[in-house]
Amino acid sequence: MIGWGGKSDKFNTSTMNSKTFCFLAIMTVLLSACSGNAYQNVVPKDCVALAAVDMKALAADGGADEKRLADMIHVGNMENCGLDFSEPLFLFESRNGDFGCCVRVNDVDELETWIGNDLTKSGKCKMRDKRKGFGFAEWNDSWLMGYSDTALLLMGPVLPAAMAQLQQQMVKYLSQDEDKGMKESRLTEVMDTMRAPVKMVARMSALPPTATIPFAFGVPKTAGENDVYLKAEMTKEGLAVVVEGETFSFKENVNKEIKQAQQQFLPVGDKWMEAVSDSMVIAAFFNVEGDSFLQLIHTNKAMETVLTGANLAIDMDKIIRSMKGEVVMSYSPAKSTRKQFALAAQLKDTEFLKDLDYWKSSCPKGTSIVDKGQNNYLFTGGEYEMFFGVVDGNLFIAGSSESEARALLNKATTPLLRETTNMMIGKRLALCVNAKALADTSDEKTDIFTSIINAIFGDTQQIVYYLK
Protein backbone atom coordinates (compact mmCIF):
# COMPACT_ATOMS: atom_id res chain seq x y z
CA MET A 1 0.00 0.00 0.00
CA ILE A 2 1.37 3.40 -0.91
CA GLY A 3 1.69 5.77 2.06
CA TRP A 4 2.10 9.56 2.26
CA GLY A 5 5.88 9.51 2.84
CA GLY A 6 9.12 8.93 0.93
CA LYS A 7 9.33 8.64 -2.89
CA SER A 8 5.70 7.74 -3.11
CA ASP A 9 4.78 11.11 -1.55
CA LYS A 10 6.96 12.95 -4.05
CA PHE A 11 5.41 11.03 -6.92
CA ASN A 12 1.87 11.81 -5.72
CA THR A 13 2.66 15.52 -5.27
CA SER A 14 4.07 15.71 -8.79
CA THR A 15 1.07 13.89 -10.21
CA MET A 16 -1.33 16.18 -8.38
CA ASN A 17 0.53 19.28 -9.59
CA SER A 18 0.39 17.97 -13.17
CA LYS A 19 -3.35 17.31 -12.95
CA THR A 20 -3.94 20.73 -11.39
CA PHE A 21 -1.96 22.41 -14.17
CA CYS A 22 -3.94 20.55 -16.85
CA PHE A 23 -7.22 21.45 -15.16
CA LEU A 24 -6.25 25.13 -14.95
CA ALA A 25 -5.09 25.12 -18.57
CA ILE A 26 -8.39 23.62 -19.74
CA MET A 27 -10.38 26.11 -17.64
CA THR A 28 -8.36 29.00 -19.05
CA VAL A 29 -9.16 27.94 -22.60
CA LEU A 30 -12.82 27.46 -21.78
CA LEU A 31 -13.12 30.76 -19.94
CA SER A 32 -11.36 32.68 -22.69
CA ALA A 33 -13.67 31.10 -25.25
CA CYS A 34 -16.70 31.96 -23.13
CA SER A 35 -15.59 35.56 -22.57
CA GLY A 36 -14.99 35.98 -26.30
CA ASN A 37 -18.55 34.90 -27.01
CA ALA A 38 -20.18 36.54 -24.00
CA TYR A 39 -21.48 39.37 -26.18
CA GLN A 40 -23.89 36.88 -27.77
CA ASN A 41 -25.78 36.62 -24.48
CA VAL A 42 -27.49 39.97 -25.10
CA VAL A 43 -29.47 38.46 -27.99
CA PRO A 44 -32.68 37.04 -26.44
CA LYS A 45 -33.23 33.32 -26.86
CA ASP A 46 -36.92 33.91 -27.66
CA CYS A 47 -36.19 36.13 -30.67
CA VAL A 48 -38.32 35.29 -33.72
CA ALA A 49 -35.61 35.99 -36.32
CA LEU A 50 -31.85 35.62 -36.05
CA ALA A 51 -29.04 36.24 -38.52
CA ALA A 52 -25.27 35.96 -38.21
CA VAL A 53 -22.95 38.07 -40.36
CA ASP A 54 -19.28 37.16 -40.80
CA MET A 55 -17.88 40.52 -41.91
CA LYS A 56 -14.41 39.18 -42.74
CA ALA A 57 -15.73 36.42 -45.02
CA LEU A 58 -18.27 38.80 -46.52
CA ALA A 59 -15.66 41.43 -47.37
CA ALA A 60 -13.57 38.75 -49.09
CA ASP A 61 -16.61 37.94 -51.27
CA GLY A 62 -17.14 41.57 -52.25
CA GLY A 63 -19.63 42.48 -49.55
CA ALA A 64 -19.48 45.34 -47.08
CA ASP A 65 -16.46 45.96 -44.86
CA GLU A 66 -16.08 48.44 -42.00
CA LYS A 67 -15.51 51.34 -44.40
CA ARG A 68 -18.61 50.57 -46.44
CA LEU A 69 -20.59 50.01 -43.27
CA ALA A 70 -19.50 53.44 -42.04
CA ASP A 71 -20.70 54.98 -45.31
CA MET A 72 -24.04 53.17 -45.06
CA ILE A 73 -24.79 54.50 -41.57
CA HIS A 74 -23.45 57.93 -42.51
CA VAL A 75 -20.57 58.24 -40.08
CA GLY A 76 -17.07 59.40 -40.93
CA ASN A 77 -15.26 56.17 -40.11
CA MET A 78 -15.33 53.12 -37.87
CA GLU A 79 -11.64 52.98 -37.09
CA ASN A 80 -10.75 52.85 -33.40
CA CYS A 81 -14.44 52.52 -32.57
CA GLY A 82 -13.88 49.80 -29.97
CA LEU A 83 -15.89 47.22 -31.93
CA ASP A 84 -14.55 43.83 -33.01
CA PHE A 85 -15.68 42.89 -36.51
CA SER A 86 -13.48 39.80 -36.59
CA GLU A 87 -16.31 38.11 -34.68
CA PRO A 88 -19.79 37.68 -36.24
CA LEU A 89 -22.34 40.39 -35.67
CA PHE A 90 -25.91 39.29 -35.03
CA LEU A 91 -29.18 40.74 -36.27
CA PHE A 92 -32.45 39.75 -34.65
CA GLU A 93 -36.10 40.58 -34.25
CA SER A 94 -37.49 40.36 -30.73
CA ARG A 95 -40.85 38.79 -30.04
CA ASN A 96 -42.15 42.36 -29.53
CA GLY A 97 -41.25 43.27 -33.10
CA ASP A 98 -38.16 45.38 -32.37
CA PHE A 99 -35.11 44.94 -34.60
CA GLY A 100 -31.69 44.57 -33.02
CA CYS A 101 -28.02 44.37 -33.91
CA CYS A 102 -25.37 42.96 -31.58
CA VAL A 103 -21.61 43.54 -32.06
CA ARG A 104 -18.71 42.42 -29.90
CA VAL A 105 -16.89 45.16 -27.95
CA ASN A 106 -13.13 44.78 -27.50
CA ASP A 107 -12.38 48.21 -26.01
CA VAL A 108 -15.23 49.97 -24.19
CA ASP A 109 -13.14 53.13 -23.63
CA GLU A 110 -12.57 53.49 -27.38
CA LEU A 111 -16.26 52.82 -27.97
CA GLU A 112 -17.34 55.56 -25.53
CA THR A 113 -14.91 58.00 -27.13
CA TRP A 114 -16.21 57.13 -30.61
CA ILE A 115 -19.83 57.60 -29.57
CA GLY A 116 -19.15 60.71 -27.47
CA ASN A 117 -16.99 62.42 -30.07
CA ASP A 118 -17.45 61.18 -33.65
CA LEU A 119 -21.13 60.23 -33.53
CA THR A 120 -22.35 62.93 -31.14
CA LYS A 121 -20.48 65.81 -32.79
CA SER A 122 -21.73 64.72 -36.22
CA GLY A 123 -25.29 64.96 -34.91
CA LYS A 124 -25.97 61.23 -35.36
CA CYS A 125 -26.09 60.45 -31.65
CA LYS A 126 -27.40 61.98 -28.44
CA MET A 127 -26.05 60.59 -25.19
CA ARG A 128 -28.46 59.32 -22.53
CA ASP A 129 -27.81 58.71 -18.85
CA LYS A 130 -26.28 55.37 -17.93
CA ARG A 131 -28.56 52.72 -16.48
CA LYS A 132 -27.22 50.05 -14.10
CA GLY A 133 -23.69 50.60 -15.42
CA PHE A 134 -24.63 50.36 -19.11
CA GLY A 135 -24.07 53.27 -21.49
CA PHE A 136 -26.82 54.50 -23.80
CA ALA A 137 -27.17 56.85 -26.75
CA GLU A 138 -29.95 57.66 -29.20
CA TRP A 139 -28.93 57.11 -32.81
CA ASN A 140 -30.52 58.82 -35.79
CA ASP A 141 -33.56 59.86 -33.69
CA SER A 142 -35.25 56.46 -33.91
CA TRP A 143 -32.76 53.85 -32.66
CA LEU A 144 -31.31 53.23 -29.22
CA MET A 145 -27.73 52.14 -28.66
CA GLY A 146 -26.70 50.41 -25.43
CA TYR A 147 -23.34 48.92 -24.51
CA SER A 148 -21.42 47.01 -21.89
CA ASP A 149 -17.78 45.95 -21.62
CA THR A 150 -18.48 43.07 -24.00
CA ALA A 151 -21.37 44.01 -26.30
CA LEU A 152 -22.92 46.84 -28.28
CA LEU A 153 -26.68 46.52 -28.77
CA LEU A 154 -28.59 48.68 -31.27
CA MET A 155 -32.40 48.41 -31.28
CA GLY A 156 -35.40 50.12 -32.90
CA PRO A 157 -36.93 51.81 -34.75
CA VAL A 158 -38.82 53.49 -31.94
CA LEU A 159 -40.69 56.74 -31.38
CA PRO A 160 -39.03 59.21 -28.97
CA ALA A 161 -41.82 58.68 -26.43
CA ALA A 162 -41.02 54.95 -26.29
CA MET A 163 -37.24 55.33 -25.84
CA ALA A 164 -37.38 54.93 -22.05
CA GLN A 165 -39.38 51.70 -22.28
CA LEU A 166 -36.98 50.27 -24.87
CA GLN A 167 -34.02 51.29 -22.72
CA GLN A 168 -35.48 49.35 -19.81
CA GLN A 169 -35.79 46.25 -22.01
CA MET A 170 -32.24 46.66 -23.29
CA VAL A 171 -30.90 46.79 -19.73
CA LYS A 172 -32.38 43.32 -19.25
CA TYR A 173 -30.78 42.06 -22.46
CA LEU A 174 -27.37 43.55 -21.62
CA SER A 175 -27.36 41.97 -18.16
CA GLN A 176 -28.85 38.56 -18.93
CA ASP A 177 -26.91 35.31 -18.48
CA GLU A 178 -26.19 32.66 -21.09
CA ASP A 179 -29.30 30.69 -20.20
CA LYS A 180 -31.46 33.55 -21.47
CA GLY A 181 -29.32 34.36 -24.50
CA MET A 182 -29.22 33.13 -28.09
CA LYS A 183 -26.99 30.14 -27.30
CA GLU A 184 -30.04 28.50 -25.74
CA SER A 185 -32.27 29.28 -28.73
CA ARG A 186 -33.36 26.55 -31.12
CA LEU A 187 -32.79 29.07 -33.92
CA THR A 188 -29.09 29.00 -33.03
CA GLU A 189 -29.05 25.20 -33.22
CA VAL A 190 -30.33 25.38 -36.79
CA MET A 191 -28.00 28.23 -37.73
CA ASP A 192 -24.95 26.36 -36.46
CA THR A 193 -25.45 23.80 -39.26
CA MET A 194 -25.00 26.51 -41.94
CA ARG A 195 -21.75 27.79 -43.43
CA ALA A 196 -22.44 30.91 -45.55
CA PRO A 197 -21.01 34.36 -44.63
CA VAL A 198 -24.56 35.46 -43.84
CA LYS A 199 -27.04 32.96 -42.45
CA MET A 200 -30.52 33.43 -41.09
CA VAL A 201 -33.24 31.48 -39.32
CA ALA A 202 -36.59 33.19 -38.84
CA ARG A 203 -40.21 32.56 -38.12
CA MET A 204 -41.95 33.08 -41.48
CA SER A 205 -44.54 35.42 -39.98
CA ALA A 206 -41.76 37.74 -38.74
CA LEU A 207 -40.48 38.47 -42.26
CA PRO A 208 -41.85 40.87 -44.89
CA PRO A 209 -44.37 39.02 -47.13
CA THR A 210 -42.36 40.03 -50.21
CA ALA A 211 -39.30 38.23 -48.86
CA THR A 212 -41.21 35.00 -48.20
CA ILE A 213 -43.11 34.61 -51.51
CA PRO A 214 -40.83 31.86 -52.89
CA PHE A 215 -40.75 29.95 -49.63
CA ALA A 216 -44.39 30.11 -48.48
CA PHE A 217 -45.61 27.42 -50.89
CA GLY A 218 -46.72 24.13 -49.40
CA VAL A 219 -47.43 25.32 -45.88
CA PRO A 220 -50.47 23.30 -44.70
CA LYS A 221 -53.60 25.17 -43.62
CA THR A 222 -53.39 23.34 -40.29
CA ALA A 223 -50.08 25.04 -39.47
CA GLY A 224 -50.25 27.83 -36.92
CA GLU A 225 -48.82 31.28 -37.58
CA ASN A 226 -45.79 30.47 -35.43
CA ASP A 227 -45.15 26.95 -36.77
CA VAL A 228 -43.31 27.75 -40.01
CA TYR A 229 -39.71 28.92 -40.31
CA LEU A 230 -37.25 29.86 -43.02
CA LYS A 231 -33.54 29.14 -42.94
CA ALA A 232 -31.44 30.86 -45.56
CA GLU A 233 -27.80 31.16 -46.54
CA MET A 234 -26.76 34.36 -48.31
CA THR A 235 -23.75 35.13 -50.47
CA LYS A 236 -22.70 38.01 -52.72
CA GLU A 237 -22.06 37.37 -56.41
CA GLY A 238 -21.22 40.54 -58.31
CA LEU A 239 -24.03 43.03 -57.65
CA ALA A 240 -26.48 40.29 -56.68
CA VAL A 241 -27.25 38.86 -53.27
CA VAL A 242 -28.03 35.16 -53.63
CA VAL A 243 -30.39 33.62 -51.07
CA GLU A 244 -30.68 29.83 -50.89
CA GLY A 245 -33.62 29.13 -48.64
CA GLU A 246 -35.47 26.24 -47.11
CA THR A 247 -38.86 26.24 -45.41
CA PHE A 248 -39.24 24.03 -42.35
CA SER A 249 -41.11 23.49 -39.11
CA PHE A 250 -40.03 22.21 -35.74
CA LYS A 251 -43.28 20.23 -35.76
CA GLU A 252 -42.54 16.97 -37.53
CA ASN A 253 -45.95 16.54 -39.20
CA VAL A 254 -45.98 20.12 -40.55
CA ASN A 255 -42.39 19.82 -41.75
CA LYS A 256 -43.19 16.60 -43.61
CA GLU A 257 -46.14 18.20 -45.44
CA ILE A 258 -44.03 21.20 -46.50
CA LYS A 259 -41.27 19.03 -47.93
CA GLN A 260 -43.68 16.80 -49.83
CA ALA A 261 -45.55 19.77 -51.31
CA GLN A 262 -42.44 21.66 -52.44
CA GLN A 263 -41.07 18.57 -54.17
CA GLN A 264 -43.80 19.11 -56.78
CA PHE A 265 -41.86 22.03 -58.29
CA LEU A 266 -39.78 20.96 -61.31
CA PRO A 267 -36.45 22.51 -62.39
CA VAL A 268 -36.86 25.91 -64.04
CA GLY A 269 -35.72 26.27 -67.66
CA ASP A 270 -34.96 29.32 -69.78
CA LYS A 271 -38.35 29.74 -71.51
CA TRP A 272 -39.15 33.14 -69.96
CA MET A 273 -35.76 34.35 -68.77
CA GLU A 274 -35.16 36.84 -71.58
CA ALA A 275 -38.74 38.17 -71.35
CA VAL A 276 -38.16 39.74 -67.95
CA SER A 277 -36.81 43.27 -67.81
CA ASP A 278 -34.13 44.06 -65.26
CA SER A 279 -36.35 46.94 -64.10
CA MET A 280 -39.12 44.59 -62.87
CA VAL A 281 -39.53 44.78 -59.10
CA ILE A 282 -40.21 41.06 -58.60
CA ALA A 283 -40.11 38.20 -61.10
CA ALA A 284 -40.88 34.59 -60.12
CA PHE A 285 -40.13 31.52 -62.24
CA PHE A 286 -41.77 28.09 -61.90
CA ASN A 287 -42.00 24.79 -63.74
CA VAL A 288 -45.23 23.12 -62.76
CA GLU A 289 -48.10 20.76 -63.42
CA GLY A 290 -51.40 22.64 -63.11
CA ASP A 291 -53.26 20.64 -60.45
CA SER A 292 -50.34 20.55 -58.04
CA PHE A 293 -49.51 24.21 -58.76
CA LEU A 294 -53.05 25.21 -57.82
CA GLN A 295 -52.74 23.43 -54.48
CA LEU A 296 -49.46 25.20 -53.83
CA ILE A 297 -50.89 28.63 -54.71
CA HIS A 298 -53.68 28.15 -52.19
CA THR A 299 -51.02 27.71 -49.49
CA ASN A 300 -49.32 31.01 -50.42
CA LYS A 301 -51.19 34.07 -49.15
CA ALA A 302 -49.12 36.54 -51.17
CA MET A 303 -49.82 34.70 -54.43
CA GLU A 304 -53.50 34.40 -53.60
CA THR A 305 -53.66 38.14 -52.95
CA VAL A 306 -52.38 38.94 -56.45
CA LEU A 307 -55.23 36.95 -58.01
CA THR A 308 -58.00 37.99 -55.60
CA GLY A 309 -59.58 40.60 -57.87
CA ALA A 310 -59.70 38.28 -60.88
CA ASN A 311 -61.45 35.56 -58.88
CA LEU A 312 -64.51 37.79 -58.58
CA ALA A 313 -65.67 36.71 -62.04
CA ILE A 314 -63.01 34.44 -63.55
CA ASP A 315 -62.40 30.84 -62.57
CA MET A 316 -58.65 31.25 -62.10
CA ASP A 317 -58.49 27.80 -60.52
CA LYS A 318 -59.56 26.23 -63.82
CA ILE A 319 -57.02 28.30 -65.76
CA ILE A 320 -54.22 27.28 -63.40
CA ARG A 321 -55.21 23.62 -63.70
CA SER A 322 -54.66 23.98 -67.46
CA MET A 323 -51.03 24.97 -67.02
CA LYS A 324 -48.19 22.57 -67.66
CA GLY A 325 -44.61 23.68 -68.06
CA GLU A 326 -42.87 26.94 -67.33
CA VAL A 327 -44.54 29.93 -65.71
CA VAL A 328 -43.28 33.46 -65.10
CA MET A 329 -44.93 36.09 -62.96
CA SER A 330 -43.85 39.69 -62.40
CA TYR A 331 -45.27 41.82 -59.62
CA SER A 332 -44.87 45.38 -58.35
CA PRO A 333 -46.21 45.88 -54.80
CA ALA A 334 -46.68 49.65 -55.11
CA LYS A 335 -47.38 51.72 -52.00
CA SER A 336 -49.92 54.18 -53.35
CA THR A 337 -50.69 53.27 -56.96
CA ARG A 338 -52.48 50.21 -58.32
CA LYS A 339 -50.44 47.06 -57.93
CA GLN A 340 -49.07 45.84 -61.26
CA PHE A 341 -48.57 42.27 -62.33
CA ALA A 342 -48.09 40.13 -65.42
CA LEU A 343 -48.15 36.36 -65.90
CA ALA A 344 -47.28 34.00 -68.76
CA ALA A 345 -47.57 30.20 -68.72
CA GLN A 346 -47.36 27.18 -70.97
CA LEU A 347 -50.64 25.26 -71.24
CA LYS A 348 -51.59 21.61 -71.61
CA ASP A 349 -55.11 22.53 -72.83
CA THR A 350 -57.45 25.51 -73.33
CA GLU A 351 -60.67 23.95 -72.03
CA PHE A 352 -61.36 26.98 -69.84
CA LEU A 353 -62.10 29.06 -72.97
CA LYS A 354 -65.41 27.18 -73.27
CA ASP A 355 -66.54 28.87 -70.04
CA LEU A 356 -66.02 32.46 -71.21
CA ASP A 357 -69.65 33.03 -72.19
CA TYR A 358 -70.76 31.86 -68.75
CA TRP A 359 -68.17 34.07 -67.02
CA LYS A 360 -69.38 37.08 -69.02
CA SER A 361 -73.02 36.49 -68.16
CA SER A 362 -72.42 35.83 -64.45
CA CYS A 363 -70.17 38.78 -63.64
CA PRO A 364 -71.05 40.35 -60.27
CA LYS A 365 -72.64 43.80 -60.33
CA GLY A 366 -70.09 46.46 -61.19
CA THR A 367 -67.79 44.09 -63.09
CA SER A 368 -67.59 42.99 -66.72
CA ILE A 369 -65.61 40.88 -69.20
CA VAL A 370 -65.30 42.20 -72.76
CA ASP A 371 -63.62 40.78 -75.87
CA LYS A 372 -60.23 42.21 -76.85
CA GLY A 373 -59.55 40.10 -79.94
CA GLN A 374 -59.57 36.37 -80.57
CA ASN A 375 -59.36 34.49 -77.26
CA ASN A 376 -58.32 37.72 -75.51
CA TYR A 377 -60.40 39.47 -72.84
CA LEU A 378 -60.47 42.37 -70.42
CA PHE A 379 -61.98 42.04 -66.97
CA THR A 380 -62.82 45.25 -65.11
CA GLY A 381 -64.23 45.67 -61.65
CA GLY A 382 -63.96 48.98 -59.82
CA GLU A 383 -60.30 49.81 -59.42
CA TYR A 384 -59.25 46.30 -60.49
CA GLU A 385 -58.52 45.47 -64.12
CA MET A 386 -57.00 42.39 -65.73
CA PHE A 387 -56.29 41.54 -69.35
CA PHE A 388 -56.05 37.80 -70.09
CA GLY A 389 -56.19 35.30 -72.89
CA VAL A 390 -54.55 32.62 -74.98
CA VAL A 391 -51.93 33.36 -77.65
CA ASP A 392 -49.94 31.18 -80.04
CA GLY A 393 -52.30 28.27 -79.33
CA ASN A 394 -50.83 27.13 -76.01
CA LEU A 395 -49.67 30.15 -74.03
CA PHE A 396 -51.73 31.91 -71.38
CA ILE A 397 -50.98 35.55 -70.61
CA ALA A 398 -52.52 37.89 -68.05
CA GLY A 399 -51.72 41.25 -66.56
CA SER A 400 -52.99 44.42 -64.96
CA SER A 401 -52.83 45.87 -68.49
CA GLU A 402 -52.64 44.41 -71.98
CA SER A 403 -49.25 45.97 -72.61
CA GLU A 404 -47.78 44.43 -69.44
CA ALA A 405 -49.14 40.98 -70.29
CA ARG A 406 -47.94 41.05 -73.91
CA ALA A 407 -44.51 42.34 -72.91
CA LEU A 408 -43.69 38.87 -71.60
CA LEU A 409 -44.06 37.43 -75.13
CA ASN A 410 -40.96 39.22 -76.38
CA LYS A 411 -37.35 39.62 -75.38
CA ALA A 412 -37.05 42.53 -72.96
CA THR A 413 -35.20 45.63 -74.12
CA THR A 414 -32.96 45.30 -71.06
CA PRO A 415 -33.28 41.66 -69.95
CA LEU A 416 -31.85 40.18 -66.79
CA LEU A 417 -28.11 39.67 -66.91
CA ARG A 418 -26.99 36.24 -68.06
CA GLU A 419 -25.11 35.85 -64.77
CA THR A 420 -28.43 36.34 -62.96
CA THR A 421 -30.45 33.92 -65.08
CA ASN A 422 -27.73 31.27 -64.78
CA MET A 423 -28.22 31.35 -61.00
CA MET A 424 -31.92 30.49 -61.43
CA ILE A 425 -31.97 27.97 -64.29
CA GLY A 426 -32.20 24.43 -62.92
CA LYS A 427 -33.63 25.48 -59.56
CA ARG A 428 -37.04 24.15 -58.49
CA LEU A 429 -38.32 27.68 -57.93
CA ALA A 430 -36.58 31.02 -58.37
CA LEU A 431 -37.37 34.64 -57.70
CA CYS A 432 -35.46 37.77 -58.72
CA VAL A 433 -35.98 41.10 -56.93
CA ASN A 434 -34.80 44.50 -58.12
CA ALA A 435 -33.45 45.74 -54.79
CA LYS A 436 -33.43 49.44 -55.69
CA ALA A 437 -36.95 49.40 -57.13
CA LEU A 438 -38.26 47.43 -54.15
CA ALA A 439 -36.99 50.11 -51.77
CA ASP A 440 -39.17 52.66 -53.57
CA THR A 441 -42.38 50.62 -53.43
CA SER A 442 -42.34 48.75 -50.15
CA ASP A 443 -43.74 49.04 -46.62
CA GLU A 444 -41.78 49.95 -43.49
CA LYS A 445 -40.72 46.40 -42.62
CA THR A 446 -39.48 45.79 -46.17
CA ASP A 447 -37.67 49.16 -46.10
CA ILE A 448 -35.75 47.99 -43.04
CA PHE A 449 -35.06 44.64 -44.72
CA THR A 450 -33.63 46.25 -47.87
CA SER A 451 -31.62 48.74 -45.80
CA ILE A 452 -30.05 45.85 -43.88
CA ILE A 453 -29.25 44.06 -47.16
CA ASN A 454 -27.44 47.15 -48.48
CA ALA A 455 -25.64 47.77 -45.19
CA ILE A 456 -24.35 44.20 -45.05
CA PHE A 457 -23.68 43.44 -48.70
CA GLY A 458 -22.78 46.87 -50.06
CA ASP A 459 -24.19 48.06 -53.38
CA THR A 460 -26.88 45.56 -54.38
CA GLN A 461 -28.89 45.65 -57.60
CA GLN A 462 -30.72 42.33 -57.36
CA ILE A 463 -31.67 39.73 -54.80
CA VAL A 464 -31.99 36.21 -56.20
CA TYR A 465 -33.95 33.68 -54.13
CA TYR A 466 -34.30 30.00 -54.82
CA LEU A 467 -35.42 26.89 -52.99
CA LYS A 468 -32.68 24.64 -51.71
Side-chain angles (χ1 to χ4, degrees):
M1 188 177 209
I2 299 176
W4 289 102
K7 290 184 178 180
S8 295
D9 286 349
K10 184 177 181 181
F11 173 78
N12 280 350
T13 301
S14 175
T15 303
M16 289 175 67
N17 286 340
S18 177
K19 288 180 179 179
T20 301
F21 175 80
C22 289
F23 174 77
L24 291 174
I26 292 170
M27 287 303 296
T28 299
V29 171
L30 289 176
L31 288 172
S32 63
C34 290
S35 63
N37 292 328
Y39 75 106
Q40 299 177 15
N41 295 338
V42 306
V43 180
K45 73 176 182 180
D46 62 352
C47 60
V48 295
L50 179 64
V53 182
D54 185 336
M55 293 291 288
K56 289 177 65 178
L58 193 60
D61 287 345
D65 52 20
E66 288 95 316
K67 184 179 183 304
R68 290 183 182 177
L69 193 58
D71 292 340
M72 285 291 175
I73 62 175
H74 306 291
V75 299
N77 65 75
M78 296 185 74
E79 294 179 3
N80 303 318
C81 64
L83 300 176
D84 182 4
F85 290 105
S86 67
E87 294 290 333
L89 64 86
F90 295 93
L91 305 170
F92 66 92
E93 181 178 347
S94 73
R95 65 178 180 178
N96 296 324
D98 294 315
F99 291 93
C101 176
C102 166
V103 187
R104 184 176 183 270
V105 171
N106 61 5
D107 191 321
V108 71
D109 293 330
E110 279 191 353
L111 176 63
E112 288 187 324
T113 300
W114 181 65
I115 294 174
N117 291 337
D118 292 10
L119 297 189
T120 301
K121 289 179 180 178
S122 68
K124 286 293 174 185
C125 271
K126 182 172 69 175
M127 300 298 293
R128 292 176 68 96
D129 292 338
K130 286 191 173 185
R131 292 285 300 275
K132 295 190 176 181
F134 302 119
F136 284 92
E138 297 175 22
W139 182 77
N140 214 27
D141 297 326
S142 58
W143 295 79
L144 187 59
M145 187 184 298
Y147 58 89
S148 67
D149 290 344
T150 58
L152 171 73
L153 181 61
L154 178 69
M155 294 191 68
V158 64
L159 295 173
M163 282 283 183
Q165 183 178 354
L166 179 60
Q167 184 177 22
Q168 188 175 12
Q169 180 62 62
M170 289 174 66
V171 167
K172 293 180 180 179
Y173 289 157
L174 287 163
S175 58
Q176 66 189 7
D177 295 326
E178 183 175 321
D179 62 337
K180 293 184 179 179
M182 58 168 279
K183 295 176 188 176
E184 296 298 314
S185 169
R186 59 183 180 177
L187 301 190
T188 301
E189 291 181 16
V190 175
M191 200 165 63
D192 285 345
T193 66
M194 302 152 73
R195 295 290 175 264
V198 180
K199 47 193 179 180
M200 178 191 74
V201 184
R203 186 183 294 168
M204 192 82 80
S205 59
L207 298 171
T210 303
T212 62
I213 287 175
F215 309 114
F217 290 102
V219 175
K221 297 289 187 181
T222 55
E225 183 181 7
N226 300 331
D227 290 341
V228 184
Y229 290 77
L230 169 66
K231 58 181 179 180
E233 297 185 71
M234 309 177 200
T235 55
K236 184 78 180 289
E237 295 190 25
L239 293 176
V241 172
V242 182
V243 183
E244 182 182 51
E246 184 176 356
T247 314
F248 75 99
S249 176
F250 291 105
K251 291 187 175 181
E252 187 176 346
N253 60 323
V254 175
N255 192 58
K256 183 178 179 180
E257 287 191 55
I258 292 172
K259 302 306 178 189
Q260 289 177 341
Q262 292 186 348
Q263 284 297 325
Q264 297 178 76
F265 285 116
L266 302 173
V268 171
D270 61 0
K271 170 68 179 175
W272 304 110
M273 290 294 174
E274 291 188 340
V276 175
S277 170
D278 63 2
S279 64
M280 293 264 191
V281 180
I282 302 171
F285 299 87
F286 315 90
N287 187 352
V288 300
E289 196 284 321
D291 289 325
S292 60
F293 189 39
L294 178 61
Q295 294 175 13
L296 289 167
I297 286 177
H298 284 314
T299 65
N300 192 314
K301 293 181 181 178
M303 288 288 288
E304 275 195 317
T305 299
V306 176
L307 301 174
T308 296
N311 277 321
L312 290 172
I314 301 167
D315 188 350
M316 286 301 300
D317 285 5
K318 190 164 187 177
I319 293 174
I320 293 168
R321 286 193 188 97
S322 299
M323 296 177 183
K324 184 177 177 63
E326 296 197 53
V327 180
V328 62
M329 182 175 180
S330 64
Y331 179 54
S332 177
K335 281 181 179 176
S336 56
T337 60
R338 187 179 63 185
K339 293 177 173 61
Q340 298 175 322
F341 83 96
L343 181 148
Q346 293 178 305
L347 297 171
K348 62 183 176 184
D349 64 62
T350 59
E351 288 296 307
F352 62 87
L353 290 176
K354 296 178 181 178
D355 294 340
L356 259 300
D357 288 339
Y358 171 72
W359 295 348
K360 290 178 185 178
S361 64
S362 60
C363 281
K365 185 178 180 179
T367 69
S368 64
I369 298 174
V370 297
D371 292 345
K372 294 290 287 185
Q374 185 177 7
N375 294 334
N376 290 176
Y377 309 90
L378 180 66
F379 165 76
T380 56
E383 297 181 357
Y384 188 87
E385 183 173 291
M386 187 180 86
F387 171 87
F388 68 99
V390 175
V391 296
D392 298 336
N394 67 340
L395 296 178
F396 176 77
I397 59 172
S400 49
S401 71
E402 182 174 358
S403 60
E404 288 172 10
R406 291 192 179 278
L408 292 176
L409 298 174
N410 304 302
K411 181 178 179 178
T413 304
T414 55
L416 296 174
L417 296 174
R418 174 54 61 181
E419 291 84 350
T420 301
T421 60
N422 284 344
M423 297 176 197
M424 298 187 287
I425 293 173
K427 303 300 187 295
R428 289 187 291 119
L429 179 155
L431 184 142
C432 182
V433 174
N434 183 316
K436 296 184 184 299
L438 181 65
D440 296 331
T441 62
S442 56
D443 56 24
E444 183 181 7
K445 180 172 274 194
T446 308
D447 285 343
I448 293 172
F449 181 77
T450 53
S451 297
I452 290 172
I453 290 289
N454 285 324
I456 293 173
F457 291 98
D459 188 23
T460 300
Q461 290 185 2
Q462 292 170 326
I463 306 171
V464 177
Y465 301 79
Y466 56 81
L467 279 179
K468 185 173 181 180

